[in-house]
Amino acid sequence: MYVYDEFDRAFLQERVVEFRDQVERRLAGELNEEEFKPLRLMNGVYLQLHAYMLRVCIPYGTLSARQLRALAAVARKYDRGYGHFTTRQNIQFNWIKLAELPDAMADLAEVVIHGIQTSGNCIRNTTTDPWAGAAADEVEDPRLYAEVIRQWSTLHPEFTYLPRKFKIAITAAKHDRAAIRVHDVGLRLHKRDGKTGFEVMVGGGLGRSPYIGKTIRDFLPEEDLLSYLEAILRTYNLGGRRDNIYKARIKIQVHEMGAEAFAQKVEAEWAEIRDGALKLDKAALDAIRDRFLNPALEDLEDAPASLATALADPDFARWHANSVAPHKAKGHAIVTLSLKPVGAPPGDATADQMDAIADLADAYAYGEIRVAHEQNLTLPYVRQKDLPALWAKLKAIGVATPNVGLISDIIACPGLDYCSLANARSIPVAQKLTERFADDARIADIGRLHLNISGCINACGHHHVGHIGILGVEKKDEEFFQITLGGKGNSKARIGELIGPAVSEGEVVDVVERLVETYLDLRTSPAETFIAAVQRLGTDPFKERAYAPR
Amino acid sequence: MPLVKNGAPAEDIFTAVADDAALPDGPVLVSAERFLKEADTLVARNDEIGVLWPNARDVAELKPYLSRLSVVALTFPKFRDGRAYSQARLLRERYGFKGELRAVGNVLRDQALMMARAGFDAFAFEKAADAEAFNKALATYSHFYQPTGDGRATARDVRVAHAGPAPVEG
Amino acid sequence: MTSPLQRKLKIAGPTVVTANRLADGAVVWLSPAGGWTDSIGAAAVGSTSEDVLRLLDIAHGDENTAVGAYPAPVRIGADGTPEPANLRERIRVSGPTVALPAGASAAA
């Protein structure tokens, strides 16, 4: 992973000093709440229903074992012994006290992590493929560019008070595991004539007006990445709407101007700055590339004998088929740790689990852990011959449920149990669904199915792009849930279609089950996935069955 | 409003003049509308002239006059409204404005360093305490990740100047 | 957003003013004495728009102690003290409706 230097460390120390001073001035009444709020948000500090929440940045989802232990320590010392991994590859602590936050941040700064720009109307943590550097289907390692963007965007003086938040995602693989089309800017790394560059998409996003990002440039040479981003951000900062918080994202600007007119404005701005100080020459890129310490993987054979023996155990075989993905290096594998055990809040991990995972990463995975946007963890460098031993240990700490990519691998926001914006609870619905779909063989038969739950229209659970999406709404102080069908978050992203009136909390699990049964009845074969069947059949046959017994 | 200019408390010698008021002697600050309407007369005066420029208006309109303007005051109606940061960079870095670039409106110490990096050199603070803390605020960070036109050293400059030891996991 | 404050305030029934304490974020209610209490049972109850606006003015005047004040509906319980009247406020009083993860400590 990228190794921070003295500069990064000094910067973070200065950040802690600055925030401590701001907290002291707030507590002394020298800053009022209106003045203080954006400052705390820019350090990842929200005020939720019961307490302050600290969102810690995990740059492009990459953590060292040491950093994960530091997160566990913060969870114990300042919080209630657990944390919640988010769809933006970050982690949140739910019970922090404002007065203690500067100390928590100082502890995190010791291992060079922080909460900078995890909230606020600024450029947020750039996210990428959790399998970056390991994926068999990747063109190049996207983390280099994510790090380039991290450095450029950190405390960017021009883009810290944007109309609204700004999220960038980047992928370099055939299969998009970073949901780039639903980001303010999506970057798809690809090659043209041997040169590295990016397809640039703008204006994607979910929330109350969901849009799929529009491509404004097919190929942006890598050396122009930052100048082009600066041109996009400047166009947005000067022209994005500030009269209505719900219309302030860049997606609305792109939509109202039209993608073509927006692109022209960006290109005109870019022409002025492309050969300036932001040009990424080879030396600039190499300086960052050289600070990535990637593990020296052993020269190993695929499918070692010990693995073949272990596969005779059906439980191991089920997990292996579900949670282990091909690696670009022979004899290695990518392992996903499911943070979605039956009956638990999706994406939560206790401090004890974090410590145990850090130890396992050290023992089996070169000390590196990734956070996936599906709210699971990934060990990107595991020797295939170690898989049986690793599995036994993952199972012992409850992170080997073989449900990755299946119906119980639910993406959910914290919902009304924690969040001050939510209209309904997400976690209890997720819990009931995982209990209904607790049978490993049954969910494996159902196959790939993304189920996403948001507790309000802000869509932190990405319900629009769930194959089945669930949106909590409130009617006369009762929770109801709207169901959407057919959404997709990958390279062929689309927004799900609402299938009918909202259903009560008591009905939502039954409705989901009827949708699944409809699919099982109508699929051409088990090879036809749920989403493929929905696309082939349209939503009508599902709607009829979903509401039939009412 | 305590004014800080080039890092020190400064007296504001510019008189803000309403659009329909007669021009007094001495340096004046006028609105964008008035400036553009009377630009030729205004810049021909012997006194210094400044313009108060709204954050929703393209600063390119000022290009023909920049060499004769002493002050461009850019506004922060709320400190959260950051359009003037882009305007400041355009004026300094693209159009080469050398005069005083003044931040006015909801100007607070916690944004002063960002404003300075964008090219502001004068700050009309709302609170006296913020004006007093100006130099401390500007020293909050010793280095910066990204280049702007402010000439401050960036991470890359520092790294090139002090090529440190090879990275080791720490 | 938490409930926006408007000078025209519609009050459907007994209402308290609640906020989060600045220093630790804990849920608090405005008390009859004009201070803050961490027990909803000890909160000042308003039953007219004027009452509640007056309570809100007191609350907003004390933003250095508690922040984000807004009116919340209550029921008057058998013992004569206010209880939360909707799900959001019940969760604010009693905490998340889901069990914390096994191994999590009950309090910081």
Side-chain angles (χ1 to χ4, degrees):
Chain A
M1 53 189 291
Y2 186 76
V3 180
Y4 284 31
D5 61 11
E6 286 317 303
F7 172 87
D8 298 287
R9 289 168 188 281
F11 166 78
L12 281 189
Q13 300 296 341
E14 289 170 339
R15 181 63 163 187
V16 173
V17 170
E18 179 187 41
F19 186 62
R20 195 181 291 282
D21 173 62
Q22 289 167 342
V23 170
E24 280 167 9
R25 281 190 282 137
R26 176 68 189 107
L27 291 173
E30 292 167 32
L31 280 172
N32 65 33
E33 188 62 15
E34 189 192 356
E35 291 163 347
F36 179 64
K37 187 176 171 186
L39 304 177
R40 68 164 157 79
L41 289 176
M42 229 87 75
N43 282 287
V45 180
Y46 285 75
L47 184 51
Q48 293 291 29
L49 286 185
H50 317 284
Y52 287 93
M53 181 267 274
L54 171 64
R55 183 181 292 154
V56 177
C57 178
I58 301 176
Y60 37 96
T62 300
L63 275 175
S64 68
R66 183 160 174 248
Q67 290 172 326
L68 186 55
R69 285 190 196 96
L71 292 172
V74 164
R76 282 197 193 92
K77 188 169 170 189
Y78 302 101
D79 207 89
R80 297 195 179 176
Y82 67 101
H84 173 75
F85 289 96
T86 75
T87 58
R88 301 212 72 259
Q89 301 182 298
N90 293 322
I91 186 170
Q92 297 176 175
F93 298 109
N94 289 305
W95 301 96
I96 293 216
K97 298 179 171 69
L98 181 64
E100 293 182 358
L101 267 158
D103 289 338
M105 287 181 179
D107 289 1
L108 291 172
E110 288 295 312
V111 292
V112 288
I113 48 181
H114 56 78
I116 299 171
Q117 289 170 222
T118 57
S119 180
N121 294 337
C122 51
I123 303 169
R124 304 286 189 87
N125 182 21
T126 297
T127 53
T128 191
D129 188 344
W131 298 357
D137 66 341
E138 93 182 1
V139 180
E140 222 176 89
D141 189 340
R143 289 174 301 164
L144 168 64
Y145 305 95
E147 175 61 24
V148 165
I149 296 170
R150 178 192 76 82
Q151 298 195 16
W152 161 77
S153 62
T154 298
L155 267 57
H156 196 301
E158 186 180 348
F159 306 133
T160 295
Y161 294 95
L162 295 168
R164 199 75 180 85
K165 59 189 169 183
F166 200 92
K167 301 174 179 179
I168 303 174
I170 171 168
T171 192
K174 283 205 185 72
H175 189 89
D176 172 16
R177 286 172 289 264
I180 59 170
R181 287 220 171 252
V182 292
H183 280 75
D184 296 285
V185 164
L187 298 167
R188 184 179 67 85
L189 185 151
H190 64 119
K191 298 263 191 186
R192 182 172 285 181
D193 305 325
K195 285 206 59 171
T196 300
F198 303 91
E199 177 188 351
V200 182
M201 291 149 245
V202 296
L206 300 174
R208 81 184 54 211
S209 330
Y211 287 103
I212 303 299
K214 312 268 190 320
T215 297
I216 58 166
R217 187 163 249 280
D218 291 325
F219 188 82
L220 175 73
E222 60 175 352
E223 62 265 28
D224 297 320
L225 176 62
L226 293 183
S227 57
Y228 201 80
L229 287 175
E230 191 142 305
I232 291 174
L233 264 299
R234 184 168 293 156
T235 303
Y236 172 53
N237 189 43
L238 285 169
R241 287 182 61 173
R242 293 177 189 258
D243 59 324
N244 179 338
I245 187 175
Y246 301 118
K247 295 186 189 295
R249 294 287 289 271
I250 195 174
K251 62 190 174 187
I252 304 294
Q253 188 187 12
V254 171
H255 177 73
E256 289 180 352
M257 283 177 76
E260 208 161 300
F262 183 85
Q264 279 169 12
K265 225 172 157 68
V266 169
E267 294 275 332
E269 177 60 35
W270 181 48
E272 299 276 353
I273 58 175
R274 66 180 293 185
D275 294 317
L278 289 172
K279 195 98 173 175
L280 287 165
D281 54 20
K282 190 172 175 305
L285 282 172
D286 283 349
I288 293 178
R289 199 190 320 263
D290 290 348
R291 298 200 70 82
F292 274 95
L293 276 193
N294 291 318
L297 300 183
E298 292 167 52
D299 191 12
L300 296 170
E301 284 307 308
D302 271 334
S306 57
L307 179 61
T309 315
L311 284 168
D313 174 350
D315 283 346
F316 175 73
R318 187 185 301 287
W319 174 79
H320 185 269
N322 174 264
S323 304
V324 178
H327 201 284
K328 63 160 75 160
K330 271 173 55 173
H332 290 78
I334 301 168
V335 173
T336 299
L337 282 51
S338 169
L339 298 182
K340 318 289 176 68
V342 171
D348 278 12
T350 64
D352 291 348
Q353 282 176 320
M354 291 185 227
D355 275 339
I357 292 165
D359 290 348
L360 292 175
D362 273 338
Y364 293 105
Y366 298 89
E368 186 164 333
I369 302 103
R370 304 281 177 79
V371 185
H373 95 89
E374 295 88 353
Q375 303 177 283
N376 290 320
L377 298 178
T378 292
L379 299 177
Y381 308 103
V382 178
R383 297 172 202 88
Q384 290 176 10
K385 63 180 181 188
D386 290 338
L387 287 169
L390 175 62
W391 171 67
K393 288 173 180 164
L394 294 175
K395 214 174 143 184
I397 57 168
V399 295
T401 311
N403 64 350
V404 174
L406 304 180
I407 188 167
S408 56
D409 185 5
I410 295 169
I411 292 179
C413 70
L416 190 56
D417 283 302
Y418 294 98
C419 177
S420 60
L421 301 176
N423 294 319
R425 292 171 297 159
S426 309
I427 297 170
V429 174
Q431 288 175 315
K432 284 178 195 158
L433 281 164
T434 58
E435 280 155 9
R436 181 70 61 91
F437 293 97
D439 185 275
D440 292 340
R442 183 183 180 211
I443 62 170
D445 177 49
I446 296 165
R448 193 164 188 85
L449 202 167
H450 297 315
L451 198 154
N452 296 34
I453 308 174
S454 302
C456 77
I457 192 66
N458 291 304
C460 295
H462 298 181
H463 64 278
H464 297 108
V465 292
H467 298 164
I468 297 175
I470 299 177
L471 166 64
V473 294
E474 184 235 299
K475 292 185 193 171
K476 296 187 180 147
D477 194 33
E478 265 194 75
E479 296 165 293
F480 282 84
F481 295 87
Q482 295 180 352
I483 315 278
T484 54
L485 200 57
K488 285 167 80 170
N490 63 9
S491 45
K492 299 197 176 63
R494 54 191 294 256
I495 304 299
E497 190 187 317
L498 186 64
I499 63 164
V503 299
S504 72
E505 203 231 346
E507 293 170 293
V508 64
V509 177
D510 290 334
V511 169
V512 169
E513 190 166 39
R514 287 198 289 274
L515 292 173
V516 171
E517 282 166 357
T518 308
Y519 154 69
L520 292 173
D521 289 348
L522 299 180
R523 69 184 177 186
T524 51
S525 80
E528 185 182 46
T529 59
F530 179 87
I531 187 67
V534 171
Q535 284 179 324
R536 177 174 59 84
L537 295 160
T539 53
D540 286 348
F542 293 91
K543 283 183 198 174
E544 285 162 23
R545 293 266 298 262
Y547 291 99
R550 286 153 71 91
Chain B
M1 258 175 298
L3 183 70
V4 171
K5 195 175 162 183
N6 296 318
E11 197 193 335
D12 186 3
I13 57 165
F14 284 78
T15 308
V17 182
D19 282 358
D20 52 2
L23 288 181
D25 285 338
V28 292
L29 190 68
V30 297
S31 73
E33 285 81 20
R34 180 165 190 176
F35 179 79
L36 291 175
K37 208 188 293 168
E38 305 169 23
D40 294 335
T41 358
L42 287 168
V43 298
R45 279 166 34 111
N46 273 333
D47 285 312
E48 290 185 89
I49 177 85
V51 63
L52 179 65
W53 197 258
N55 70 356
R57 190 159 188 163
D58 190 349
V59 289
E61 288 183 68
L62 278 174
K63 261 196 312 194
Y65 313 107
L66 286 176
S67 63
R68 283 170 294 174
L69 269 168
S70 298
V71 173
V72 177
L74 297 174
T75 66
F76 294 85
K78 277 278 170 217
F79 75 93
R80 297 186 304 275
D81 182 342
R83 282 174 276 194
Y85 293 102
S86 289
Q87 292 179 313
R89 288 195 69 193
L90 289 171
L91 284 170
R92 285 284 193 235
E93 297 171 35
R94 186 163 308 161
Y95 307 136
F97 179 58
K98 299 280 194 297
E100 175 185 323
L101 199 49
R102 184 185 295 190
V104 301
N106 191 198
V107 178
L108 305 167
R109 84 164 84 158
D110 292 287
Q111 289 79 40
L113 177 54
M114 302 235 168
M115 291 175 181
R117 293 217 63 211
F120 287 99
D121 59 355
F123 306 81
F125 284 107
E126 284 189 334
K127 307 179 195 175
D130 283 358
E132 284 156 27
F134 177 81
N135 285 309
K136 182 176 171 239
L138 250 67
T140 305
Y141 293 97
S142 46
H143 298 293
F144 305 91
Y145 278 105
Q146 61 293 101
T148 65
D150 67 345
R152 285 176 172 80
T154 65
R156 191 181 165 212
D157 301 332
V158 177
R159 285 169 181 150
V160 170
H162 311 278
V168 283
E169 196 60 68
Chain C
M1 304 294 298
T2 46
S3 313
L5 171 66
Q6 291 160 339
R7 291 315 294 183
K8 284 186 296 181
L9 196 65
K10 260 180 137 178
I11 297 299
T15 301
V16 296
V17 167
T18 182
N20 290 81
R21 195 156 52 209
L22 175 69
D24 62 3
V27 179
V28 289
W29 292 266
L30 194 72
S31 70
W36 297 94
T37 168
D38 54 13
S39 161
I40 188 173
V45 181
S47 46
T48 66
S49 169
E50 293 73 44
D51 280 354
V52 179
L53 282 170
R54 187 182 51 80
L55 294 175
L56 277 171
D57 282 344
I58 297 170
H60 287 126
D62 194 19
E63 276 233 310
N64 289 338
T65 311
V67 295
Y70 64 93
V74 288
R75 262 192 292 272
I76 303 303
D79 64 353
T81 62
E83 296 167 357
N86 65 29
L87 177 61
R88 176 191 165 94
E89 295 308 317
R90 280 196 295 280
I91 291 173
R92 288 179 79 247
V93 169
S94 313
T97 62
V98 295
L100 301 190
S105 52

